[in-house]
Short mmCIF file of all heavy atoms in Angstrom, two decimals:
data_model
loop_
_atom_site.label_atom_id
_atom_site.label_comp_id
_atom_site.label_asym_id
_atom_site.label_seq_id
_atom_site.Cartn_x
_atom_site.Cartn_y
_atom_site.Cartn_z
N PRO S 284 87.49 111.50 122.36
CA PRO S 284 88.56 110.51 122.76
C PRO S 284 89.14 110.91 124.18
O PRO S 284 89.43 110.01 125.00
CB PRO S 284 89.66 110.61 121.74
CG PRO S 284 88.88 111.13 120.49
CD PRO S 284 87.90 112.03 121.04
N LEU S 285 89.24 112.26 124.41
CA LEU S 285 89.66 112.66 125.75
C LEU S 285 88.80 112.25 126.83
O LEU S 285 89.19 111.78 127.88
CB LEU S 285 89.98 114.17 125.70
CG LEU S 285 90.64 114.74 126.94
CD1 LEU S 285 92.09 114.24 127.11
CD2 LEU S 285 90.66 116.29 126.89
N LEU S 286 87.47 112.47 126.60
CA LEU S 286 86.45 112.16 127.60
C LEU S 286 86.46 110.60 127.86
O LEU S 286 86.26 110.13 128.94
CB LEU S 286 85.07 112.61 127.13
CG LEU S 286 83.92 112.38 128.12
CD1 LEU S 286 84.22 113.11 129.40
CD2 LEU S 286 82.60 112.87 127.48
N ASP S 287 86.63 109.84 126.82
CA ASP S 287 86.64 108.46 126.95
C ASP S 287 87.81 107.84 127.72
O ASP S 287 87.69 106.85 128.47
CB ASP S 287 86.73 107.72 125.51
CG ASP S 287 85.46 107.95 124.79
OD1 ASP S 287 84.39 108.34 125.30
OD2 ASP S 287 85.40 107.76 123.50
N ASN S 288 88.95 108.48 127.60
CA ASN S 288 90.21 107.97 128.16
C ASN S 288 90.72 108.58 129.39
O ASN S 288 91.63 108.00 130.02
CB ASN S 288 91.31 107.96 127.11
CG ASN S 288 91.06 107.06 125.88
OD1 ASN S 288 91.34 105.84 125.98
ND2 ASN S 288 90.49 107.59 124.87
N ASP S 289 90.21 109.70 129.79
CA ASP S 289 90.73 110.45 130.97
C ASP S 289 89.74 110.30 132.13
O ASP S 289 88.69 110.90 132.15
CB ASP S 289 90.88 111.88 130.63
CG ASP S 289 91.66 112.65 131.76
OD1 ASP S 289 91.73 112.13 132.89
OD2 ASP S 289 92.22 113.72 131.44
N PRO S 290 90.05 109.49 133.16
CA PRO S 290 89.18 109.27 134.28
C PRO S 290 89.06 110.50 135.15
O PRO S 290 88.24 110.52 136.11
CB PRO S 290 89.85 108.14 135.01
CG PRO S 290 91.28 108.20 134.70
CD PRO S 290 91.34 108.71 133.27
N THR S 291 89.83 111.57 134.98
CA THR S 291 89.73 112.80 135.72
C THR S 291 88.67 113.72 135.12
O THR S 291 88.41 114.82 135.66
CB THR S 291 91.06 113.50 135.87
OG1 THR S 291 91.45 114.03 134.62
CG2 THR S 291 92.16 112.61 136.38
N LEU S 292 88.08 113.30 134.00
CA LEU S 292 87.02 114.04 133.37
C LEU S 292 85.69 113.40 133.48
O LEU S 292 85.63 112.12 133.53
CB LEU S 292 87.37 114.27 131.83
CG LEU S 292 88.56 115.16 131.55
CD1 LEU S 292 88.78 115.12 130.01
CD2 LEU S 292 88.37 116.57 132.04
N TRP S 293 84.60 114.12 133.45
CA TRP S 293 83.30 113.52 133.39
C TRP S 293 82.33 114.19 132.54
O TRP S 293 81.17 113.67 132.34
CB TRP S 293 82.71 113.32 134.84
CG TRP S 293 82.17 114.56 135.46
CD1 TRP S 293 82.56 115.84 135.41
CD2 TRP S 293 81.02 114.58 136.37
NE1 TRP S 293 81.84 116.67 136.12
CE2 TRP S 293 80.86 115.97 136.75
CE3 TRP S 293 80.17 113.60 136.84
CZ2 TRP S 293 79.85 116.36 137.61
CZ3 TRP S 293 79.15 114.04 137.69
CH2 TRP S 293 78.98 115.38 138.08
N CYS S 294 82.74 115.25 131.76
CA CYS S 294 81.86 115.79 130.73
C CYS S 294 82.62 116.74 129.84
O CYS S 294 83.76 117.24 130.21
CB CYS S 294 80.65 116.56 131.41
SG CYS S 294 80.98 118.27 131.83
N VAL S 295 82.10 116.96 128.68
CA VAL S 295 82.54 118.02 127.81
C VAL S 295 81.45 118.95 127.54
O VAL S 295 80.31 118.56 127.27
CB VAL S 295 83.03 117.43 126.46
CG1 VAL S 295 83.39 118.57 125.45
CG2 VAL S 295 84.23 116.52 126.60
N SER S 296 81.66 120.25 127.72
CA SER S 296 80.59 121.25 127.58
C SER S 296 80.98 122.17 126.42
O SER S 296 82.11 122.47 126.13
CB SER S 296 80.39 122.02 128.89
OG SER S 296 79.42 123.04 128.70
N SER S 297 79.87 122.78 125.86
CA SER S 297 80.09 123.82 124.84
C SER S 297 80.02 125.19 125.44
O SER S 297 80.02 126.18 124.69
CB SER S 297 78.94 123.63 123.76
OG SER S 297 77.66 123.93 124.33
N TRP S 298 79.85 125.32 126.76
CA TRP S 298 79.48 126.57 127.36
C TRP S 298 80.57 127.14 128.27
O TRP S 298 81.24 126.39 129.00
CB TRP S 298 78.19 126.36 128.21
CG TRP S 298 77.60 127.61 128.77
CD1 TRP S 298 77.65 128.05 130.10
CD2 TRP S 298 76.82 128.61 128.08
NE1 TRP S 298 76.95 129.16 130.21
CE2 TRP S 298 76.50 129.56 129.06
CE3 TRP S 298 76.40 128.74 126.71
CZ2 TRP S 298 75.67 130.70 128.69
CZ3 TRP S 298 75.60 129.81 126.44
CH2 TRP S 298 75.31 130.78 127.41
N ASN S 299 80.63 128.46 128.23
CA ASN S 299 81.55 129.21 129.16
C ASN S 299 80.67 130.23 129.85
O ASN S 299 80.03 131.12 129.17
CB ASN S 299 82.68 129.90 128.36
CG ASN S 299 83.50 130.88 129.27
OD1 ASN S 299 83.41 130.85 130.48
ND2 ASN S 299 84.36 131.64 128.61
N ASP S 300 80.53 130.13 131.15
CA ASP S 300 79.66 131.03 131.95
C ASP S 300 80.12 132.49 131.82
O ASP S 300 79.25 133.39 132.01
CB ASP S 300 79.61 130.64 133.35
CG ASP S 300 78.70 129.49 133.63
OD1 ASP S 300 77.49 129.60 133.41
OD2 ASP S 300 79.22 128.35 133.98
N ASN S 301 81.35 132.77 131.52
CA ASN S 301 81.77 134.11 131.32
C ASN S 301 82.19 134.25 129.81
O ASN S 301 83.25 134.84 129.43
CB ASN S 301 83.07 134.35 132.22
CG ASN S 301 82.64 134.46 133.68
OD1 ASN S 301 81.74 135.12 134.03
ND2 ASN S 301 83.32 133.70 134.49
N GLY S 302 81.35 133.73 128.93
CA GLY S 302 81.67 133.78 127.51
C GLY S 302 81.15 135.00 126.73
O GLY S 302 81.05 134.98 125.55
N GLN S 303 80.76 136.09 127.58
CA GLN S 303 80.33 137.30 126.88
C GLN S 303 81.49 137.80 125.90
O GLN S 303 82.62 137.64 126.17
CB GLN S 303 79.98 138.33 127.91
CG GLN S 303 78.81 138.03 128.78
CD GLN S 303 79.13 137.24 129.95
OE1 GLN S 303 80.26 136.68 130.12
NE2 GLN S 303 78.22 136.98 130.86
N ASP S 304 81.03 138.45 124.91
CA ASP S 304 81.95 138.90 123.87
C ASP S 304 83.12 139.70 124.42
O ASP S 304 84.26 139.58 123.89
CB ASP S 304 81.18 139.75 122.82
CG ASP S 304 80.14 139.00 122.05
OD1 ASP S 304 80.25 137.76 122.07
OD2 ASP S 304 79.28 139.65 121.36
N MET S 305 82.97 140.53 125.40
CA MET S 305 84.03 141.38 125.97
C MET S 305 85.03 140.55 126.76
O MET S 305 86.11 141.06 127.07
CB MET S 305 83.50 142.48 126.81
CG MET S 305 82.84 142.09 128.12
SD MET S 305 81.18 141.31 127.98
CE MET S 305 80.22 142.84 127.67
N PHE S 306 84.73 139.29 127.09
CA PHE S 306 85.67 138.47 127.88
C PHE S 306 86.35 137.39 127.12
O PHE S 306 87.07 136.57 127.75
CB PHE S 306 84.88 137.92 129.11
CG PHE S 306 84.29 138.92 130.02
CD1 PHE S 306 83.03 138.81 130.46
CD2 PHE S 306 85.06 140.00 130.37
CE1 PHE S 306 82.46 139.77 131.30
CE2 PHE S 306 84.52 140.99 131.29
CZ PHE S 306 83.24 140.86 131.69
N VAL S 307 86.13 137.20 125.86
CA VAL S 307 86.67 136.10 125.12
C VAL S 307 87.34 136.68 123.88
O VAL S 307 87.09 137.72 123.37
CB VAL S 307 85.68 135.03 124.72
CG1 VAL S 307 85.00 134.49 125.99
CG2 VAL S 307 84.54 135.66 123.85
N ALA S 308 88.29 135.83 123.34
CA ALA S 308 89.06 136.26 122.11
C ALA S 308 89.52 135.05 121.27
O ALA S 308 89.53 135.19 120.06
CB ALA S 308 90.24 137.15 122.52
N ASP S 309 89.88 133.98 121.86
CA ASP S 309 90.50 132.88 121.11
C ASP S 309 89.55 131.73 120.95
O ASP S 309 89.24 130.98 121.89
CB ASP S 309 91.77 132.43 121.89
CG ASP S 309 92.55 131.34 121.14
OD1 ASP S 309 92.16 130.99 120.03
OD2 ASP S 309 93.55 130.88 121.63
N PRO S 310 89.03 131.47 119.77
CA PRO S 310 88.11 130.37 119.53
C PRO S 310 88.72 129.06 119.61
O PRO S 310 88.02 128.02 119.66
CB PRO S 310 87.55 130.68 118.04
CG PRO S 310 88.70 131.44 117.41
CD PRO S 310 89.35 132.27 118.52
N LYS S 311 90.11 128.93 119.60
CA LYS S 311 90.79 127.64 119.75
C LYS S 311 91.11 127.33 121.18
O LYS S 311 91.70 126.19 121.42
CB LYS S 311 92.03 127.67 118.94
CG LYS S 311 91.77 127.89 117.39
CD LYS S 311 93.07 127.99 116.69
CE LYS S 311 92.87 128.33 115.14
NZ LYS S 311 94.09 128.42 114.35
N ALA S 312 90.92 128.20 122.08
CA ALA S 312 91.27 127.99 123.53
C ALA S 312 90.20 127.04 124.24
O ALA S 312 89.05 127.23 124.07
CB ALA S 312 91.37 129.27 124.23
N VAL S 313 90.77 126.08 124.97
CA VAL S 313 89.87 125.07 125.66
C VAL S 313 90.43 124.91 127.08
O VAL S 313 91.71 124.96 127.24
CB VAL S 313 89.77 123.74 124.95
CG1 VAL S 313 88.87 122.81 125.65
CG2 VAL S 313 89.46 123.93 123.48
N PHE S 314 89.63 124.80 128.08
CA PHE S 314 90.02 124.70 129.46
C PHE S 314 89.45 123.55 130.14
O PHE S 314 88.40 123.04 129.76
CB PHE S 314 89.65 126.02 130.15
CG PHE S 314 90.29 127.25 129.65
CD1 PHE S 314 89.73 127.90 128.57
CD2 PHE S 314 91.43 127.80 130.23
CE1 PHE S 314 90.24 129.13 128.09
CE2 PHE S 314 92.05 128.98 129.73
CZ PHE S 314 91.45 129.56 128.59
N ARG S 315 90.08 123.17 131.31
CA ARG S 315 89.41 122.28 132.27
C ARG S 315 88.72 123.12 133.30
O ARG S 315 89.20 124.23 133.65
CB ARG S 315 90.50 121.39 132.92
CG ARG S 315 91.20 120.43 132.01
CD ARG S 315 92.26 119.61 132.70
NE ARG S 315 91.66 118.63 133.62
CZ ARG S 315 91.64 117.30 133.29
NH1 ARG S 315 92.14 116.86 132.23
NH2 ARG S 315 91.12 116.48 134.14
N SER S 316 87.65 122.66 133.80
CA SER S 316 86.85 123.38 134.85
C SER S 316 86.29 122.45 135.88
O SER S 316 85.80 121.37 135.59
CB SER S 316 85.76 124.25 134.18
OG SER S 316 84.97 124.88 135.16
N ASP S 317 86.29 122.94 137.18
CA ASP S 317 85.69 122.09 138.22
C ASP S 317 84.15 122.34 138.26
O ASP S 317 83.45 121.68 138.94
CB ASP S 317 86.20 122.53 139.58
CG ASP S 317 87.76 122.24 139.69
OD1 ASP S 317 88.07 121.06 139.58
OD2 ASP S 317 88.55 123.13 139.83
N PHE S 318 83.74 123.37 137.51
CA PHE S 318 82.29 123.72 137.49
C PHE S 318 81.56 123.04 136.42
O PHE S 318 82.00 123.12 135.22
CB PHE S 318 82.13 125.27 137.46
CG PHE S 318 80.69 125.68 137.68
CD1 PHE S 318 80.31 125.94 138.99
CD2 PHE S 318 79.84 125.91 136.66
CE1 PHE S 318 79.02 126.44 139.17
CE2 PHE S 318 78.56 126.38 136.93
CZ PHE S 318 78.16 126.59 138.15
N PHE S 319 80.44 122.36 136.67
CA PHE S 319 79.67 121.76 135.62
C PHE S 319 78.84 122.83 134.91
O PHE S 319 77.92 123.41 135.51
CB PHE S 319 78.70 120.73 136.21
CG PHE S 319 77.76 120.16 135.25
CD1 PHE S 319 78.14 119.33 134.24
CD2 PHE S 319 76.38 120.46 135.34
CE1 PHE S 319 77.18 118.84 133.33
CE2 PHE S 319 75.43 119.98 134.43
CZ PHE S 319 75.82 119.20 133.38
N PRO S 320 79.10 123.14 133.61
CA PRO S 320 78.48 124.20 132.96
C PRO S 320 77.01 123.95 132.43
O PRO S 320 76.25 124.81 132.45
CB PRO S 320 79.43 124.55 131.82
CG PRO S 320 80.62 123.68 132.00
CD PRO S 320 80.19 122.51 132.82
N GLY S 321 76.85 122.68 132.00
CA GLY S 321 75.56 122.35 131.36
C GLY S 321 75.49 123.06 129.99
O GLY S 321 76.48 123.44 129.40
N LEU S 322 74.24 123.34 129.63
CA LEU S 322 73.90 124.16 128.41
C LEU S 322 74.75 123.65 127.18
O LEU S 322 75.51 124.40 126.56
CB LEU S 322 74.23 125.64 128.68
CG LEU S 322 73.39 126.34 129.78
CD1 LEU S 322 73.80 127.74 130.01
CD2 LEU S 322 71.92 126.30 129.33
N GLY S 323 74.46 122.44 126.82
CA GLY S 323 75.15 121.84 125.64
C GLY S 323 76.36 121.07 126.11
O GLY S 323 77.48 121.55 126.09
N TRP S 324 76.13 119.76 126.51
CA TRP S 324 77.20 119.00 127.18
C TRP S 324 77.03 117.52 126.80
O TRP S 324 76.05 117.09 126.39
CB TRP S 324 77.21 119.17 128.72
CG TRP S 324 75.87 118.80 129.33
CD1 TRP S 324 74.72 119.54 129.34
CD2 TRP S 324 75.61 117.59 130.12
NE1 TRP S 324 73.74 118.79 130.00
CE2 TRP S 324 74.25 117.69 130.46
CE3 TRP S 324 76.41 116.52 130.49
CZ2 TRP S 324 73.62 116.63 131.27
CZ3 TRP S 324 75.72 115.49 131.18
CH2 TRP S 324 74.48 115.60 131.60
N MET S 325 78.20 116.84 126.88
CA MET S 325 78.28 115.44 126.55
C MET S 325 78.79 114.55 127.65
O MET S 325 79.69 114.93 128.41
CB MET S 325 79.19 115.28 125.34
CG MET S 325 79.40 113.87 124.81
SD MET S 325 80.28 113.75 123.22
CE MET S 325 81.92 114.29 123.70
N LEU S 326 78.11 113.39 127.87
CA LEU S 326 78.62 112.44 128.78
C LEU S 326 78.67 111.04 128.13
O LEU S 326 78.06 110.86 127.09
CB LEU S 326 77.80 112.45 130.08
CG LEU S 326 76.43 111.64 130.09
CD1 LEU S 326 76.02 111.40 131.52
CD2 LEU S 326 75.38 112.46 129.34
N THR S 327 79.36 110.06 128.74
CA THR S 327 79.54 108.76 128.25
C THR S 327 78.60 107.76 128.89
O THR S 327 78.01 108.00 129.97
CB THR S 327 80.91 108.28 128.39
OG1 THR S 327 81.22 108.12 129.79
CG2 THR S 327 81.96 109.34 127.77
N LYS S 328 78.45 106.63 128.19
CA LYS S 328 77.61 105.51 128.75
C LYS S 328 78.23 105.12 130.09
O LYS S 328 77.44 104.82 131.04
CB LYS S 328 77.64 104.32 127.83
CG LYS S 328 76.98 103.08 128.34
CD LYS S 328 75.50 103.27 128.59
CE LYS S 328 74.77 101.95 128.76
NZ LYS S 328 75.18 101.17 129.91
N ASN S 329 79.58 105.02 130.25
CA ASN S 329 80.15 104.56 131.51
C ASN S 329 79.81 105.52 132.64
O ASN S 329 79.52 105.13 133.80
CB ASN S 329 81.72 104.46 131.37
CG ASN S 329 82.11 103.26 130.53
OD1 ASN S 329 81.32 102.28 130.43
ND2 ASN S 329 83.26 103.35 130.01
#
Side-chain angles (χ1 to χ4, degrees):
L285 187 65
L286 184 62
D287 291 345
N288 291 279
D289 189 341
T291 69
L292 294 174
W293 76 324
C294 84
V295 173
S296 176
S297 64
W298 187 256
N299 174 11
D300 281 296
N301 293 308
Q303 294 87 352
D304 293 343
M305 68 284 283
F306 298 134
V307 300
D309 186 359
K311 299 178 182 179
V313 185
F314 298 85
R315 297 177 71 106
S316 175
D317 297 297
F318 190 86
F319 171 72
L322 296 177
W324 56 286
M325 179 170 67
L326 78 163
T327 65
K328 174 64 165 64
N329 288 338

